[in-house]
Coordinates of all heavy atoms in Angstrom, one line a residue:
Chain B
V143 N 9.4 -10.2 2.7 CA 8.1 -10.6 3.4 C 6.9 -9.7 2.9 O 5.8 -10.1 2.6 CB 8.3 -10.4 4.9 CG1 6.9 -10.4 5.7 CG2 9.1 -11.5 5.4
M144 N 7.3 -8.4 2.8 CA 6.2 -7.4 2.5 C 5.8 -7.6 0.9 O 4.6 -7.6 0.6 CB 6.7 -5.9 2.6 CG 6.9 -5.7 4.1 SD 8.0 -4.3 4.4 CE 6.7 -2.9 4.2
R145 N 6.7 -7.8 0.1 CA 6.4 -8.0 -1.3 C 5.6 -9.2 -1.6 O 4.7 -9.2 -2.3 CB 7.7 -8.1 -2.1 CG 7.9 -6.7 -2.9 CD 9.1 -6.9 -3.9 NE 10.2 -7.4 -3.3 CZ 11.3 -7.8 -4.0 NH1 11.3 -7.8 -5.2 NH2 12.4 -8.2 -3.3
R146 N 6.1 -10.3 -0.9 CA 5.3 -11.6 -1.2 C 3.9 -11.5 -0.7 O 3.0 -11.9 -1.3 CB 6.0 -12.7 -0.3 CG 7.1 -13.4 -1.1 CD 7.6 -14.8 -0.4 NE 8.0 -14.5 0.9 CZ 9.4 -14.1 1.1 NH1 10.2 -13.9 0.1 NH2 9.9 -13.9 2.4
Y147 N 3.7 -10.9 0.5 CA 2.3 -10.7 1.0 C 1.5 -9.9 0.0 O 0.4 -10.3 -0.2 CB 2.4 -9.9 2.4 CG 1.2 -9.5 2.9 CD1 0.5 -10.2 4.0 CD2 0.7 -8.2 2.6 CE1 -0.6 -9.7 4.5 CE2 -0.6 -7.7 3.2 CZ -1.2 -8.5 4.1 OH -2.3 -8.0 4.7
L148 N 2.1 -8.7 -0.4 CA 1.2 -7.9 -1.2 C 1.0 -8.6 -2.6 O -0.2 -8.4 -3.2 CB 2.1 -6.5 -1.4 CG 1.3 -5.3 -2.0 CD1 -0.1 -5.1 -1.4 CD2 2.1 -4.1 -1.9
L149 N 2.0 -9.2 -3.2 CA 1.9 -9.9 -4.5 C 0.8 -11.0 -4.3 O -0.2 -11.0 -5.3 CB 3.1 -10.5 -4.9 CG 4.0 -9.9 -5.9 CD1 5.2 -10.8 -6.1 CD2 3.3 -9.7 -7.1
N150 N 0.8 -11.7 -3.3 CA -0.2 -12.8 -3.2 C -1.6 -12.3 -3.1 O -2.6 -12.7 -3.7 CB 0.2 -13.7 -1.9 CG -0.7 -15.0 -1.8 OD1 -0.7 -15.9 -2.6 ND2 -1.5 -15.0 -0.8
K151 N -1.8 -11.2 -2.2 CA -3.0 -10.7 -1.9 C -3.6 -10.1 -3.2 O -4.8 -10.3 -3.6 CB -2.9 -9.6 -0.9 CG -4.1 -9.1 -0.2 CD -3.8 -8.3 1.0 CE -4.9 -7.3 1.2 NZ -4.5 -6.3 2.3
L152 N -2.8 -9.3 -3.9 CA -3.3 -8.6 -5.2 C -3.6 -9.6 -6.2 O -4.6 -9.5 -6.9 CB -2.2 -7.6 -5.6 CG -2.2 -6.3 -5.0 CD1 -1.0 -5.6 -5.5 CD2 -3.4 -5.5 -5.2
A153 N -2.7 -10.5 -6.5 CA -2.8 -11.5 -7.5 C -4.2 -12.3 -7.3 O -5.0 -12.6 -8.1 CB -1.7 -12.5 -7.6
R154 N -4.5 -12.7 -6.0 CA -5.7 -13.4 -5.6 C -6.9 -12.5 -6.0 O -7.8 -12.9 -6.6 CB -5.6 -13.8 -4.2 CG -6.6 -14.8 -3.7 CD -6.5 -15.1 -2.3 NE -6.8 -14.0 -1.4 CZ -6.0 -13.6 -0.4 NH1 -4.9 -14.1 -0.1 NH2 -6.5 -12.6 0.3
K155 N -6.8 -11.2 -5.6 CA -8.0 -10.3 -5.8 C -8.2 -10.1 -7.3 O -9.3 -9.9 -7.7 CB -7.7 -8.9 -5.2 CG -8.0 -8.8 -3.8 CD -7.8 -7.4 -3.3 CE -8.2 -7.2 -1.8 NZ -7.8 -5.9 -1.3
M156 N -7.2 -10.2 -8.1 CA -7.4 -10.0 -9.5 C -7.5 -11.3 -10.3 O -7.5 -11.4 -11.5 CB -6.0 -9.3 -10.1 CG -5.9 -7.9 -9.5 SD -4.3 -7.1 -9.9 CE -4.6 -6.7 -11.6
G157 N -7.8 -12.3 -9.6 CA -8.3 -13.6 -10.1 C -7.1 -14.4 -10.8 O -7.4 -15.2 -11.7
A158 N -5.9 -14.3 -10.3 CA -4.7 -15.0 -10.9 C -4.8 -16.5 -10.5 O -5.1 -16.8 -9.4 CB -3.5 -14.4 -10.5
D159 N -4.4 -17.4 -11.4 CA -4.3 -18.8 -11.0 C -2.9 -19.0 -10.5 O -2.6 -19.9 -9.8 CB -4.6 -19.6 -12.3 CG -6.0 -19.5 -12.7 OD1 -6.9 -19.9 -12.0 OD2 -6.2 -19.1 -13.8
K160 N -1.9 -18.3 -11.1 CA -0.5 -18.5 -10.7 C 0.2 -17.1 -10.7 O -0.2 -16.2 -11.4 CB 0.2 -19.3 -11.8 CG -0.4 -20.7 -12.2 CD 0.4 -21.8 -11.7 CE -0.3 -23.1 -11.8 NZ -0.3 -23.7 -13.2
I161 N 1.2 -17.0 -9.9 CA 2.1 -15.8 -9.9 C 3.5 -16.2 -10.6 O 4.1 -17.2 -10.1 CB 2.4 -15.3 -8.6 CG1 1.0 -14.9 -7.8 CG2 3.3 -14.0 -8.6 CD1 1.2 -14.5 -6.4
A162 N 3.9 -15.5 -11.6 CA 5.2 -15.9 -12.2 C 6.2 -15.0 -11.7 O 6.1 -13.7 -11.6 CB 5.2 -15.7 -13.7
I163 N 7.3 -15.6 -11.1 CA 8.4 -14.8 -10.4 C 9.6 -15.0 -11.2 O 10.0 -16.0 -11.6 CB 8.6 -15.5 -9.0 CG1 7.3 -15.6 -8.1 CG2 9.7 -14.7 -8.2 CD1 6.8 -14.3 -7.5
G164 N 10.4 -13.9 -11.2 CA 11.6 -14.0 -12.2 C 12.9 -14.4 -11.5 O 13.9 -14.0 -11.8
H165 N 12.8 -15.4 -10.6 CA 13.9 -15.9 -9.9 C 14.8 -16.7 -11.0 O 14.3 -17.5 -11.7 CB 13.5 -17.0 -8.8 CG 13.2 -16.3 -7.5 ND1 12.8 -17.0 -6.4 CD2 13.3 -15.0 -7.2 CE1 12.6 -16.2 -5.4 NE2 12.8 -14.8 -5.9
N166 N 16.1 -16.3 -10.9 CA 16.9 -17.1 -11.9 C 17.8 -18.1 -11.2 O 17.7 -18.2 -10.0 CB 17.9 -16.0 -12.7 CG 18.7 -15.2 -11.7 OD1 19.4 -15.8 -10.8 ND2 18.6 -13.8 -11.8
A167 N 18.7 -18.8 -11.9 CA 19.4 -19.9 -11.4 C 20.4 -19.3 -10.3 O 20.8 -20.1 -9.3 CB 20.2 -20.6 -12.5
D168 N 20.9 -18.1 -10.5 CA 21.8 -17.5 -9.5 C 21.1 -17.3 -8.2 O 21.6 -17.6 -7.1 CB 22.3 -16.2 -10.0 CG 23.3 -16.3 -11.1 OD1 23.0 -17.1 -12.0 OD2 24.4 -15.6 -11.2
D169 N 19.8 -16.7 -8.3 CA 19.1 -16.6 -7.1 C 18.8 -17.9 -6.4 O 18.8 -17.9 -5.2 CB 17.7 -15.9 -7.4 CG 17.8 -14.6 -8.1 OD1 18.7 -13.8 -7.7 OD2 17.0 -14.3 -8.9
V170 N 18.5 -18.9 -7.2 CA 18.2 -20.3 -6.6 C 19.4 -20.8 -5.9 O 19.2 -21.2 -4.7 CB 17.7 -21.2 -7.7 CG1 17.5 -22.5 -7.1 CG2 16.5 -20.7 -8.5
A171 N 20.6 -20.8 -6.5 CA 21.8 -21.3 -5.9 C 22.0 -20.5 -4.6 O 22.5 -21.1 -3.6 CB 22.9 -21.2 -6.9
Q172 N 21.9 -19.2 -4.6 CA 22.1 -18.4 -3.3 C 21.1 -18.8 -2.3 O 21.6 -19.0 -1.1 CB 21.9 -16.9 -3.6 CG 22.9 -16.3 -4.6 CD 22.5 -15.1 -5.3 OE1 21.5 -14.5 -5.0 NE2 23.1 -14.8 -6.4
T173 N 19.9 -18.9 -2.7 CA 18.8 -19.3 -1.6 C 19.1 -20.7 -1.0 O 19.1 -20.8 0.2 CB 17.4 -19.3 -2.3 OG1 17.2 -18.0 -2.9 CG2 16.4 -19.7 -1.3
V174 N 19.5 -21.7 -1.9 CA 19.8 -23.0 -1.4 C 21.0 -23.0 -0.3 O 20.8 -23.4 0.7 CB 20.1 -23.9 -2.6 CG1 20.8 -25.3 -2.0 CG2 19.0 -24.2 -3.4
L175 N 22.0 -22.3 -0.7 CA 23.2 -22.2 0.3 C 22.8 -21.4 1.5 O 23.2 -21.8 2.6 CB 24.4 -21.6 -0.5 CG 25.1 -22.4 -1.5 CD1 26.4 -21.8 -2.0 CD2 25.3 -23.8 -1.1
M176 N 22.2 -20.3 1.3 CA 21.7 -19.5 2.5 C 20.8 -20.3 3.5 O 21.1 -20.3 4.6 CB 20.9 -18.3 2.0 CG 21.8 -17.2 1.4 SD 20.7 -15.9 0.5 CE 20.0 -15.2 1.9
N177 N 20.0 -21.1 3.0 CA 19.2 -22.0 3.8 C 20.0 -23.0 4.5 O 19.7 -23.4 5.8 CB 18.0 -22.6 3.0 CG 16.9 -21.6 2.8 OD1 16.3 -21.2 3.7 ND2 16.7 -21.2 1.6
Y178 N 21.0 -23.6 3.8 CA 21.9 -24.5 4.6 C 22.7 -23.7 5.6 O 22.9 -24.3 6.7 CB 22.9 -25.2 3.5 CG 22.2 -26.4 2.8 CD1 22.0 -26.3 1.5 CD2 21.8 -27.5 3.5 CE1 21.4 -27.4 0.7 CE2 21.2 -28.6 2.9 CZ 21.0 -28.6 1.6 OH 20.4 -29.6 0.9
M179 N 23.2 -22.6 5.2 CA 24.0 -21.9 6.2 C 23.2 -21.4 7.4 O 23.8 -21.3 8.5 CB 24.6 -20.6 5.5 CG 25.7 -21.0 4.6 SD 26.2 -19.5 3.7 CE 27.6 -20.1 2.7
R180 N 22.0 -21.3 7.2 CA 21.1 -20.9 8.3 C 20.4 -22.1 9.0 O 19.6 -21.9 9.9 CB 20.0 -19.9 7.9 CG 20.6 -18.5 7.7 CD 19.6 -17.6 7.0 NE 20.0 -16.2 7.0 CZ 19.5 -15.3 6.2 NH1 18.5 -15.7 5.3 NH2 20.0 -14.1 6.2
N181 N 20.7 -23.3 8.5 CA 20.0 -24.5 9.0 C 18.5 -24.3 9.0 O 17.9 -24.4 10.1 CB 20.6 -24.8 10.5 CG 20.0 -26.2 10.8 OD1 19.7 -27.1 10.0 ND2 20.1 -26.5 12.1
E182 N 18.0 -24.0 7.8 CA 16.5 -23.9 7.7 C 16.0 -24.7 6.5 O 15.5 -24.3 5.6 CB 16.2 -22.4 7.4 CG 16.5 -21.4 8.7 CD 16.2 -20.0 8.4 OE1 16.3 -19.5 7.3 OE2 15.9 -19.3 9.3

Side-chain angles (χ1 to χ4, degrees):
Chain B
V143 167
M144 294 164 82
R145 251 189 311 166
R146 274 193 296 277
Y147 170 95
L148 194 47
L149 259 179
N150 187 66
K151 196 172 152 186
L152 279 176
R154 195 178 67 227
K155 275 188 179 167
M156 295 171 80
D159 297 294
K160 309 251 171 73
I161 303 174
I163 308 282
H165 277 179
N166 59 50
D168 290 44
D169 298 326
V170 175
Q172 290 154 21
T173 302
V174 170
L175 290 190
M176 285 164 71
N177 279 296
Y178 277 117
M179 287 172 174
R180 287 174 169 159
N181 188 22
E182 293 178 331

